[in-house]
Amino acid sequence: MDEQEIQRKRRDNEELATKNRARILGFPYLDTREFEDTIPLVKGVLTNEEMHKNFIIPIQKGENGEHYQFIITSQAPRTMITDMRKEYEDRGQRIDFFLVSNSAYQVFMLRHDPPQDVHYDDIKIADEGDSETIESVSKTLESVSTEKVFDFLLDQADKLKASDIHIENLRNEIRIRMRVDGILHPVANLSRDRYRILMGELSSRAGVSAAANTPQSGHMQKDVFVDGSSHLLNIRVETVPTMYGQDAVLRLFNFDESLLNLDLLGLADEERAEINEVIKHPRGLVLMVGPTGSGKSTTLYSILNALNTTDRKIITLEDPVEYGITGISQIPINTTGGQNFADGLRSVLRLDPDVVMVGEIRDGDTAKTAIQASITGHLVLSSFHANSTSAAFSRMIDLIGTNPIFASSIRLVIAQRLVRKLSDTKEAYEPDEATKKYIREAFEGVSEELLKKHNIDLDNITLYKPVPKGEEDPFGYKGRTVIMEQLLVSDEIQKFIKGDVADIDTKNIEKTAKSLGMLTLEQKGLIAALHGETTIDEVSRVI
């Protein structure tokens, strides 16, 4: 899906949400997309300051001033609307209000009050050893006005599709790095004056203190306006005191409800079929495992979105809430403030939910409560720290012991990683004999039928390498794709959990799962490399 299509879907989703909100608030809804760039502006009715402050813009004024029409957003003060109705009606004038999306309001507002014509060069990611680009970006960030530098950094990170911004204190300067497609890249080196500005913004917006001598966590949000549509950027902030000051990491969650969709994850048919089976009969326990930044949250939210129908009650417990989804009750759990998932889960079960998502199972109490909930007619989704699906069973057994109830509740374990996708400029090559041998050994024991199903010919092995194409694509990669290992819990796997098998370890569980047709993360990664979706180096780096 190209960027233009993504922006269109974002706007479609926003307009649908606004239409539903208008029905609740009791205002007529107006979709302005066909005329928002061309309709003449109505001047002299409200000042720019009033329009900014009250989220209201005039769009129509009758010839004799007898009929006025205004667009508003859901943030417009109700008292202001009531006062305006009375004021205009007392003068014998008709007044109408129409609810519009935030994107529509932004388009009109930018026409009324366009920004000053100050252009800053876009931030570019430097290749390894490219000090000139870093120096150029550093100069750009030093030149951006004080009140705009923080927002400029966030907007540019979103434009680059960065998942993290790292603000790091060195002895004489501040280093800015961004994680793009899972790789951390140097971006700029700034003066300490800029550091004070950035930390000041973090203090006021995310509620973290620049003078604290302990690690802190904060959260903030920002509306990003791009090409006629806006989307909400959720930002999780983590700071830690270092020798030279507070280092900060900003984790960016690009909230776009329309993109939390199983169809957009690029799942293989059999992977999607297994998840569909869980959704079709929502009960039991589903675990997502993998390291931080492996896309677990996106997959869990996409499953929740697929389950999100009017006949289901869905509740989540999260630390913190990363994406807000319409129709789902989401409860933030502040674990650093003394709350815990187990107590929260026991509380929400009294609300009779059909589906519960627990942000993370971290202790035996939460694990046992989640298992208990999953055998009493609920579908429980959660993340869990383990390197693979087989390791998840071993870790859970270490946490709660062999447990027959766990054996009957667990239905599916998914382990996943994100690998960078090759651009279209990729180049095929024949690997050396050592690499061929490694690939053949990795697929040892996999049936010919399964290899054929995945279009793998081990007698003719071709791999692919990235071909950079300059400034537009300096690394030869574009975006990331999911590598997923799924373990459906069968009778044979249940024997390990119940303690019926004497030697319960990860290798034996994985060996049994592979004999039943499971492909491991390594095998799934190699399939992606053989199909030209990624490189074997990426598979080695991530898996």
Side-chain angles (χ1 to χ4, degrees):
M1 188 184 300
D2 60 26
E3 186 64 27
Q4 191 172 13
E5 178 66 13
I6 288 174
Q7 297 299 340
R8 187 189 66 75
K9 286 184 73 68
R10 282 177 175 158
R11 184 67 187 267
D12 287 346
N13 186 66
E14 187 182 5
E15 293 299 332
L16 180 60
T18 305
K19 186 176 182 179
N20 293 333
R21 198 174 297 123
R23 194 179 302 118
I24 294 169
L25 296 176
F27 289 103
Y29 159 72
L30 183 63
D31 186 343
T32 65
R33 281 177 287 186
E34 290 188 7
F35 58 82
E36 62 192 17
D37 292 314
T38 57
I39 188 174
L41 297 178
V42 177
K43 301 281 190 177
V45 177
L46 297 172
T47 65
N48 286 347
E49 185 179 357
E50 288 172 322
M51 289 188 279
H52 276 299
K53 179 182 176 182
N54 295 312
F55 300 93
I56 181 172
I57 299 173
I59 59 166
Q60 198 72 41
K61 177 182 176 183
E63 289 184 10
N64 301 319
E66 296 175 355
H67 186 194
Y68 289 81
Q69 294 180 334
F70 295 85
I71 57 172
I72 58 172
T73 75
S74 57
Q75 296 169 278
R78 299 302 287 267
T79 53
M80 178 269 299
I81 295 169
T82 301
D83 292 345
M84 285 185 67
R85 282 193 195 279
K86 187 175 186 307
E87 178 188 340
Y88 278 69
E89 287 169 2
D90 286 349
R91 295 201 301 253
Q93 297 168 325
R94 182 181 165 191
I95 183 171
D96 292 314
F97 297 95
F98 299 89
L99 194 75
V100 300
S101 65
N102 286 329
S103 290
Y105 167 79
Q106 291 285 355
V107 171
F108 277 101
M109 204 63 243
L110 283 171
R111 290 180 64 199
H112 275 282
D113 188 20
Q116 293 182 352
D117 189 19
V118 179
H119 175 73
Y120 300 110
D121 291 336
D122 285 342
I123 288 177
K124 297 181 180 66
I125 296 295
D127 203 347
E128 188 173 350
D130 182 2
S131 58
E132 288 185 11
T133 297
I134 293 175
E135 186 178 344
S136 172
V137 174
S138 301
K139 287 180 179 177
T140 297
L141 282 171
E142 294 284 3
S143 69
V144 178
S145 61
T146 300
E147 67 275 10
K148 291 182 178 179
V149 64
F150 188 74
D151 284 327
F152 176 75
L153 191 62
L154 291 176
D155 288 341
Q156 289 292 304
D158 180 72
K159 191 172 184 178
L160 288 166
K161 295 182 174 58
S163 60
D164 310 281
I165 303 172
H166 293 244
I167 303 171
E168 301 163 321
N169 287 270
L170 306 181
R171 183 173 182 177
N172 298 314
E173 59 192 4
I174 305 302
R175 180 171 66 176
I176 305 292
R177 295 194 288 174
M178 292 185 185
R179 192 179 298 279
V180 180
D181 291 339
I183 303 295
L184 204 56
H185 298 280
V187 170
N189 297 314
L190 304 180
S191 67
R192 292 202 164 270
D193 287 342
R194 295 275 119 170
Y195 167 73
R196 284 189 282 272
I197 294 166
L198 295 175
M199 288 307 298
E201 290 290 334
L202 282 178
S203 296
S204 61
R205 296 199 202 183
V208 296
S209 170
N213 56 9
T214 56
Q216 302 170 90
S217 296
H219 178 259
M220 57 182 286
Q221 294 182 325
K222 184 182 186 302
D223 278 314
V224 178
F225 188 70
V226 182
D227 297 334
S229 72
S230 66
H231 59 273
L232 186 65
L233 203 60
N234 271 312
I235 303 154
R236 189 193 299 179
V237 179
E238 302 289 342
T239 68
V240 63
T242 69
M243 184 184 296
Y244 300 112
Q246 291 273 351
D247 277 14
V249 175
L250 283 63
R251 294 197 65 199
L252 278 55
F253 298 94
N254 184 344
F255 172 62
D256 191 337
E257 198 170 326
S258 66
L259 299 182
L260 297 174
N261 189 321
L262 287 170
D263 292 332
L264 302 179
L265 295 182
L267 304 179
D269 291 342
E270 66 273 12
E271 292 167 343
R272 181 62 191 272
E274 289 174 353
I275 293 176
N276 283 347
E277 183 64 23
V278 171
I279 295 171
K280 186 178 177 184
H281 305 290
R283 64 182 184 280
L285 179 63
V286 176
L287 292 179
M288 284 288 310
V289 302
T292 300
S294 59
K296 298 191 301 293
S297 294
T298 300
T299 300
L300 281 173
Y301 276 112
S302 297
I303 293 173
L304 284 179
N305 238 358
L307 288 160
N308 189 12
T309 56
T310 55
D311 60 339
R312 288 194 182 104
K313 173 78 170 181
I314 302 177
I315 301 179
T316 71
L317 301 165
E318 305 174 60
D319 179 22
V321 174
E322 293 178 359
Y323 300 98
I325 302 180
T326 307
I328 293 178
S329 300
Q330 296 173 266
I331 302 172
I333 300 292
N334 182 11
T335 55
T336 57
Q339 294 179 298
N340 63 68
F341 284 116
D343 289 342
L345 182 54
R346 280 189 282 267
S347 297
V348 302
L349 289 176
R350 292 195 284 270
L351 301 177
D352 190 30
D354 299 291
V355 181
V356 180
M357 186 186 88
V358 181
E360 186 180 346
I361 292 177
R362 300 174 183 171
D363 55 72
D365 194 13
T366 305
K368 289 173 183 176
T369 308
I371 291 165
Q372 192 65 40
S374 67
I375 63 167
T376 54
H378 307 88
L379 175 64
V380 180
L381 309 172
S382 186
S383 65
F384 187 59
H385 274 291
N387 288 327
S388 66
T389 57
S390 306
F393 288 105
S394 297
R395 280 213 63 226
M396 187 64 80
I397 291 167
D398 289 341
L399 203 61
I400 63 173
T402 53
N403 190 320
I405 299 177
F406 175 49
S408 59
S409 68
I410 184 73
R411 297 185 61 201
L412 177 66
V413 183
I414 302 172
Q416 72 175 51
R417 302 288 190 275
L418 293 173
V419 293
R420 289 187 292 174
K421 288 173 63 177
L422 282 167
S423 302
D424 294 337
T425 53
K426 64 190 174 188
E427 186 178 294
Y429 71 96
E430 184 179 345
D432 57 36
E433 288 303 318
T435 303
K436 289 180 181 178
K437 181 183 178 184
Y438 156 64
I439 293 172
R440 289 179 181 127
E441 287 178 350
F443 286 103
E444 208 170 279
V446 178
S447 68
E448 287 294 329
E449 182 184 357
L450 197 53
L451 289 173
K452 188 175 180 181
K453 183 179 180 181
H454 288 278
N455 297 316
I456 301 300
D457 182 0
L458 295 178
D459 293 324
N460 297 288
I461 295 176
T462 300
L463 294 174
Y464 298 81
K465 59 185 176 183
V467 179
K469 51 181 180 182
E471 188 177 296
E472 181 187 345
D473 180 9
F475 303 106
Y477 294 97
K478 190 170 185 179
R480 290 188 289 177
T481 188
V482 173
I483 301 298
M484 189 176 284
E485 171 184 305
Q486 291 187 180
L487 196 161
L488 269 176
V489 180
S490 61
D491 292 340
E492 289 86 347
I493 298 297
Q494 282 188 353
K495 291 176 183 177
F496 288 97
I497 311 169
K498 291 176 180 176
D500 295 345
V501 178
D503 193 5
I504 305 172
D505 68 11
T506 299
K507 288 183 178 178
N508 284 333
I509 296 173
E510 183 176 287
K511 183 179 178 181
T512 302
K514 287 168 71 174
S515 71
L516 297 170
M518 185 192 82
L519 291 171
T520 65
L521 276 170
E522 181 185 36
Q523 290 167 339
K524 296 299 284 291
L526 290 174
I527 289 172
L530 291 166
H531 288 171
E533 296 172 26
T534 189
T535 65
I536 195 165
D537 289 339
E538 265 297 285
V539 174
S540 298
R541 180 184 70 83
V542 173
I543 299 174

